[in-house]
Amino acid sequence: MQTLSFPLFTHSLSSLINPFSPFPSLSHFSSLSVSHVTARRSIPLQASTRDSAFSSSPVAVDNSDAGDSTAFVIRARNRIGLLQVITRVFKVLGLTVDRATVEFEGDFFVKKFFVTDSHGNKIEDSDSLERIKRALAEAVGGDGDGTVLVARPAAGNPGVVVRRPGLVEGDGERRAKAERMFSLMDGFLKNDPFSLQKDILNHVEYTVARSRFNFDDFEAYQALSHSVRDRLIERWHDTHSYFKRTKPKRLYFLSLEFLMGRSLSNSVINLGIQDQYAEALSQLGFEFEVLAEQEGDAALGNGGLARLSACQMDSLATLDYPAWGYGLRYEYGLFRQVIVEGFQHEQPDYWLNFGNPWEIERIHVTYEVKFYGTVEEADLNGEKHQVWVPGETVEAVAYDNPIPGYGTRNTLNLRLWAAKPSNRFDLEAYNTGDYINSVVNRQRAETISNVLYPDDRNHQGKELRLKQQYFFVSASLQDIIRRFKEAHNNFDELPDKVALHLNDTHPSLSIAEIMRILVDEEHLGWNKAWDIACKVFSFTTHTVVAEGLEKIPVDLLGSLLPRHLQILYEINFNFMEELKKKIGLDYNRLSRMSIVEEGAVKNIRMANLSIVGSHIVNGVSKLHLDTLKRTTFKDFYELWPEKFQFKTNGVTQRRWIVVSNPSLCALISKWLGTEAWIRNADLLTGLRDHVDNPNFHQEWKMVKKVNKMRLAEYIEAMSGVKVSLDAMFDVQVKRIHEYKRQLLNILGIIHRYDCLKNMDKNDRRKVVPRVCIIGGKAAPGYEIAKKIIKLCHSVAEKINNDTDIGDLLKLVFIPDYNVSVAELVIPGADLSQHLSTAGHEASGTGSMKFLMNGCLLLATADGSTVEIIEEIGSDNLFLFGAKVQEVAELREKISTLKVPLQFARVLRMVRDGYFGYKDYFKSLCDTVEIGKDFYLLGSDFGSYLEAQAAADKAFVEPEKWIKMSILSVSGSGRFSSDRTIQEYAERTWKIDPSRCPL
């Protein structure tokens, strides 16, 4: 036995070593001649030489030394880089290694490390010792005796062999090759500027296929993105290998929409290497910010629900929860909005035209998705079973998108499905010479994932929408069940290992689909399958009024998904029978609660299905839940009050402060003395300690000025309108809809303009100058919304060209509003308007983004605004309008309501053609006339003008305004999506963090 004693040397390991990955991903084994490596799958492991994979630990603790250090004794087979791995573990845990000894026993060594804590003391706490032992054992990779872990193939599954580094059975040559391979993989990509430059240039030449001596900004962006993706993939592999090994309960987040926006800046910030990349690019003659602008938006969603999904994926990764996201990879995202002479025109969003460097095509991960056909009865072991014989089959192909967490190694996966034609039908068509039919089949299949929100005003549009929903549901559930079966062979364990979350009703067919899988394919009894389904599903509704709830015509469903209609009828029959036992023969209530809606057109109520088939139903704000309990789902709440919860939506501070407002991010970190708020937004309350500090005020003011300059430059470049930085930047950006009341804002601007025109010059000097900014898209078939956009442009043309008014009032419409534009607009806003009629906004995450950026809110007491008031106080925002409980009363007497004279005057100006297009705007004006003003614009107009006057008064007192702005940010931590996700994890999904070791 040979013994060595040596002082520990220092390494720069932050970007070199992968200490905790006990084995590389199986994709690296493709060239090895080992028995039966067929797929990257996680099958229950059975050790070939013992019953348990880890029957003993390779790490022991010796605290008998009388000195001040604790000895950790590690026995393991020697391999290249292992010493660095172990020292890295101690460094990450904040421990100091005083000295170490090594004893060799043949191929093994026994290393003894004498360690102290950060205060130089011996470590004696048993929990701490156990955590350190576990971390070291993970790093060493097993029990240390050289055992090869072999996954024996379960019945019907291919076998997978997992071999730990340096421990390959067989002859010496094979072993030497494996040792060589593992030594090459024993490290991470480096993150120093020189290494980053080398990676970028390699991608320029070998991925983008351009000469490294001649490439432009866009090609540099592509190479940069691929180099970032390489680092994401490292973490992605480590995270999912760790999940496979530890087998935690996983969340599967099902959403038909993900409004991800751009990925580059968010990724490098979450990876913690933004400064290194900026330096590397600068030395190559590029600017990081310029290259980031080359990226297009991934607009795979519309509005708050889709952006919420993206924020929640970011929070799931940051908080280390084991989760997957599932959605659709639309060929064309939400339409591009083009304004021609003030009218909205829609153009396809060819977001994939130049490729998507962030996605990973998984051509080997495909599933058949069936449509149409018939249901036949078959005999199986003496029992009758339903067999669905499809009339059409398409393939779902997976595209994976890594989602990195901040301050953690965890990187989750967003799997998006694209539709491709079934190879079987393609082959049949070619074999018979029917090439035209083959092409038609391909086009019909690919149409399924072509367009976000197909126009469903006709039968074909409704069918395509339903096809999209089922295609997404079927592929996702097949993938989830396949992953579960690889590690488990008893479906009783499904609720303990799987949580399925329905983000609104779009994925609600999942309930019928999982019943089909469990009953028809896995041959479970109906009652057992239903019990399992109800335990795994949870549901969040984003709808406020019953009229907005999704319904699917029975005829359409029966044609497209005949087996699912049978299942839905069975679910409803059983539910109705149980309901009769509880409420008796109250036919009106039974009719309201039935999943099947009877009538001239028979429908399936998807919200009712989601409630019946889920164990938790979530509202997205406190006020929203009250509305659900009081009206929308009153019958269900009275039946199952324990099912109903609320988790107020949130947004991620990493996207909406760190990425979009770096100046504010730096200022907050400086005055809080820490960057910990980026992971724990509750720390923002510490800003209240500095709210009266004049130096802080001055720096805050400068940050806002810089952001307003950026926005002003964008406005001038986009519209040609030059705006004053001294003006209040007053912003309303959101989807154009009557209930969001952009029309109220425009009528208020007309009133302001009218007042200015009737003032003398002396009075005008006292007026607060305003730049009014409106942005948002109208649904293609929503004519009233399109007329609101045209009115905005007509009013802007009149105001902006009026030399009498000058810089006192400007109106700008921002076309094609998206996430990237929001990252520019929100930090530059002084005032943000949220004008929805009380009771119509479920949550409203837009207000949270503005709040985080120190923008003051002018809002109704709707959605999450009620909770914002609780957090920052009503003195720090401008409230107006009828309360929720008053809206119903006002509507009852709508025909007799008196409106302010100012409202009647500005409406008359529009009617009389003051802004042109008199006939075109007539129907728009009709919607707010007395007796027809459903959204109460006239009723709220007086209160709205008072709130605007209060905002003007506050703005002319800069110190007061800045103080209100600081208090807004300090109270925004409650509205972080981190808090939302933590509440879901603890109260709904019952999942625990599963942090991949560093």
Side-chain angles (χ1 to χ4, degrees), residues 36 46 113 119 224 255 274 408 522 581 642 649 662 664 672 676 735 800 804 843 869 912 924 950 989:
H36 214 127
Q46 304 164 15
F113 295 84
H119 302 291
L224 168 62
S255 178
Q274 184 183 30
T408 177
E522 302 298 336
K581 295 175 184 177
E642 71 282 357
N649 284 342
L664 181 61
L672 290 181
R735 181 166 49 94
N800 297 342
D804 287 345
S843 177
I869 296 167
D912 289 348
L924 177 61
W989 302 325

Side-chain angles (χ1 to χ4, degrees), residues 735 737-741 782 835-837 840-841 935:
R735 181 166 49 94
H737 198 288
E738 288 169 274
Y739 88 83
K740 293 181 182 288
R741 300 202 294 189
Y782 195 173
L835 312 181
S836 58
T837 310
H840 284 73
E841 195 73 79
Y935 294 105

